[in-house]
Every structure is written in structure tokens, then in C-alpha cells.
């Protein structure tokens, strides 16, 4: 049998067919390897919750410790000395202005008033006699039947008698006024306290003068203190605390908290602010007037005062959770239209509930990251989703 060389085999038809078959098998193996090899994992973008920057009118409040004070608190005192004889009221009840509260022993003062009245009658009689004497002397003097000295004496006697009559009248007025002080009346309408002196006690300048107190609390005053920084911030916004403004559409009202933690339904208005700061505390006193028709607020009790300090129009406010607070300041992540986040410094204003006012650094047409910013860095591309879509997007 004749041998065929390797070169000859390659040149033969069978050799060429084998080469083609091997090439096809190799190509298929290469294609199959590329098809079946594990694909490199594409990095997934972090999902962040975003919300648009909005503007609205925001009420800025401040909270302070306050104390309730009666609109009027009057001490009823004895103005004359004597023994307390009678009391004409029930302790703790409402009394009217001018109502009789106490009677002080008036015997001595009544006698003095009667004596002063008698002195006045005597002086009046002397004045009338002097007037008649002068009337008789004048025609005699004109007829040269009386001397100039007689006329002068008559005129002097008349003037002296009239003066004594005036003194006596003043003494009677004073005596009657002192006598009236023995009847102690209420200077205002309000609720009267318990008596401070018992019946039979010596009261007045030489004894115990305080008899009771009357409190008018249909309207109460709320006293609290604000800091010098509060004052400066208000001035920067053209708000003068305690003063009315024609250009301002709102008034700084206050609300207070009751002892059970609930909010008192009525609101009061700030009507006074001290013109100076107390150097020991760094605060200044502020007062508000508040209606108290049902006498729920008791004078002397402490309360929590919430004050409307300012109303910001079209203010940019964001959720507090969107802020990143560091030593250098406050930052927030802004999502650009190309889904790239930008770590931006912002200037914050007052807090309002769960939101914070942004005074500088954000525009109303931007979107901010509200959840998931802790895993971000400046310039990172993200997958932004709205708040309502966060849960469904996270499951995908």
C-alpha cells in the first residue's frame, strides 16, 4: 500500500475538508465560551428619596416660661384707727365696686364731725353779725357820723369772721371724710380674699391695716422674658415687640398651656415690652393681655407661653431630617437634573415643627434628598425616587 505524506494529505480533498471542520469547531467553541462566561456585574445606583423645594408662609413661634398675673390686685386697708366691728361679705366671692366690706368703730369720728359742724355754725353766725355791723357802719361813715377807724375795724372783723367760717367748713369736710373711712368699701369689682383681720381687732395706722385683697381676673396678664437675641432677630425683620404696626398684617399673639398640658382656648396680645435688658439675666420683660371669662387661669400660676414672633412670606422650608449638621455648618444634598447629587452649604433660619427655614442656598425649583443621604458623597450619581415611590422602588 502506497503511503501518503502529510503535505500531500493537506493538499488532498479529504485534508482540506478536515481543516475546515476543525476551524468551524474551534470557532463554535470560542463563541460558546463567550456566550457562557459569567458577565461582569453592573454597579447599581443608590436609591434616594427626593422631594421638591417648596415655599409657603410660615409662622415663627417662640416658647418661654411665663407667670399669670391679675389685671388688678388691690389691697384693702384701714385708713383710720379703730376696732373692727362688722364684715359684710363672704370670703372668696365676687363683689362689686363700692360695696361695703367692713365697718370700723365710728363713735370717736362721728363726735369729731359733729364738733366740726358746731364750729362751722358758730363761725357762720359770727360772720353774719360782722356783716351786719359793717352794713351799719358804712352809711354812718358816709354821713361823717363814724370815723375811718370804726369803718376799718368793721371791715377787718367781717373779713376775719368769713375766714374763720371757711376754716370751720374745711374742718367739717375733713371730719366727715375721716368718718367715711370707717366704712371700708371695695375700690374695684372682683373676687375678694379671706379677711386678714378678725372682728374686734384694732386696725388702722396704729394696728393692722391690711383687711383683705380684691382681685380682678376677668382679664389676666401673662409675664415672660425674651432674650436679647430674640429682640435683635425681631428688629432685623422690622418687628417691634410690644408695639402695633400699621404695615403689619398680623399681631404677635400668645397662647398658654394649662396645668394638665392642654392649650388654653383663648389667645392674648403682646401689649408691652421692656425698653431695657436685665444685665443679670440678659433678658427683657414682655407682657401679654389675655381674656379669662371663666376664671380658668389663676393669678400666680406658672405656665408655658407660645408667642408668634414673625410671619415669613414665601419662605423656603425643608424637613429637618434632610439637613446634615457638621462643624462647618449645615449641608443638604441637592439632586441635579442629571441625577448627580451636590452637597451644598445652606444658611438655616428658625425651626417650625419638623421643618427648618432655609434663608440662603436653595431655590424653589430644585430637588433635595430627604432619605438616604448618609451613603452619598458629592458628585455621585443616584437613582432618585419620590417619597410615595420609595417602598416600591426598593423592592425592585
Amino acid at each position: 500500500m502506497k503511503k501518503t505524506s502529510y503535505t500531500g494529505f493537506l493538499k488532498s480533498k479529504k485534508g482540506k475538508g478536515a481543516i475546515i471542520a476543525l476551524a468551524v469547531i474551534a470557532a463554535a467553541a470560542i463563541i460558546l465560551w463567550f456566550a457562557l462566561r459569567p458577565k461582569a456585574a453592573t454597579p447599581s445606583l443608590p436609591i434616594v428619596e427626593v422631594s421638591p423645594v417648596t415655599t409657603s408662609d410660615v409662622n415663627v413661634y417662640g416658647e418661654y416660661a411665663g407667670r399669670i398675673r391679675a389685671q388688678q390686685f388691690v389691697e384693702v386697708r384701714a385708713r383710720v384707727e379703730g376696732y373692727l366691728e362688722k364684715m359684710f361679705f363672704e370670703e372668696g366671692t365676687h363683689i362689686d365696686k363700692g360695696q361695703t366690706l367692713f365697718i370700723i368703730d365710728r363713735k370717736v369720728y362721728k363726735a369729731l364731725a359733729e364738733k366740726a359742724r358746731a364750729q362751722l355754725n358758730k363761725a357762720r353766725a359770727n360772720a353774719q353779725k360782722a356783716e351786719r355791723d359793717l352794713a351799719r357802719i358804712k352809711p354812718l361813715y358816709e354821713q361823717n357820723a363814724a370815723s375811718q377807724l370804726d369803718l376799718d375795724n368793721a371791715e377787718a372783723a367781717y373779713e376775719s369772721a368769713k375766714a374763720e367760717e371757711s376754716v370751720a367748713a374745711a374742718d367739717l369736710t375733713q371730719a366727715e371724710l375721716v368718718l367715711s373711712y370707717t366704712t371700708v368699701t371695695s375700690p374695684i369689682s372682683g373676687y375678694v380674699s379671706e379677711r386678714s383681720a378678725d372682728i374686734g381687732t384694732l386696725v388702722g395706722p396704729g394696728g393692722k391695716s391690711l383687711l383683705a385683697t380684691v382681685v380682678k381676673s376677668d382679664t389676666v396678664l401673662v409675664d415672660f422674658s425674651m432674650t436679647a437675641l430674640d429682640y435683635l432677630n425681631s428688629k432685623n425683620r422690622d418687628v417691634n415687640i410690644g408695639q402695633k404696626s400699621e404695615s403689619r398684617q398680623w399681631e404677635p399673639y400668645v397662647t398658654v398651656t394649662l396645668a394638665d398640658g392642654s392649650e388654653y382656648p383663648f389667645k392674648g396680645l403682646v401689649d408691652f415690652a421692656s425698653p431695657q435688658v436685665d444685665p443679670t439675666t440678659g433678658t427683657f420683660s414682655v407682657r401679654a393681655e389675655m381674656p379669662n371669662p371663666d376664671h380658668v387661669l389663676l393669678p400666680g400660676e406658672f405656665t408655658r407661653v407660645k408667642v408668634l414672633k414673625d410671619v415669613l412670606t414665601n419662605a423656603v422650608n425643608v424637613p429637618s431630617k434632610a439637613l446634615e449638621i457638621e462643624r462647618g455648618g449645615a449641608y443638604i444634598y441637592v439632586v441635579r437634573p442629571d441625577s448627580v447629587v451636590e452637597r451644598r452649604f445652606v444658611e438655616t433660619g428658625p425651626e417650625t415643627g419638623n421643618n427648618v427655614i432655609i434663608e440662603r442656598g436653595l431655590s424653589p425649583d430644585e430637588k433635595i434628598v430627604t432619605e438616604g443621604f448618609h451613603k452619598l458623597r458629592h458628585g455621585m450619581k443616584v437613582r432618585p425616587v419620590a417619597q410615595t415611590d420609595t417602598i416600591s422602588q426598593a423592592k425592585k
Side-chain angles (χ1 to χ4, degrees), residues 64-71 219-225 254-257 264 267-272 285-291 297 301-307:
Y64 310 92
R67 187 174 66 89
I68 306 299
R69 178 163 56 94
Q71 186 184 33
T219 300
V220 295
L221 303 177
V222 183
D223 296 323
F224 57 97
S225 296
V254 304
T255 56
V256 298
T257 303
Y264 184 61
K267 297 178 180 179
L269 288 178
V270 175
D271 63 347
F272 168 77
S285 300
V286 183
R287 183 188 69 199
E289 190 175 280
M290 180 168 291
L297 301 177
E301 69 175 317
F302 289 91
T303 183
R304 196 72 185 167
V305 183
K306 187 177 180 181
V307 187

Side-chain angles (χ1 to χ4, degrees), residues 134 148-158:
L134 179 60
Q148 181 67 44
L149 180 59
D150 294 333
L151 179 61
D152 292 342
N153 289 336
E155 289 177 346
Y158 172 72

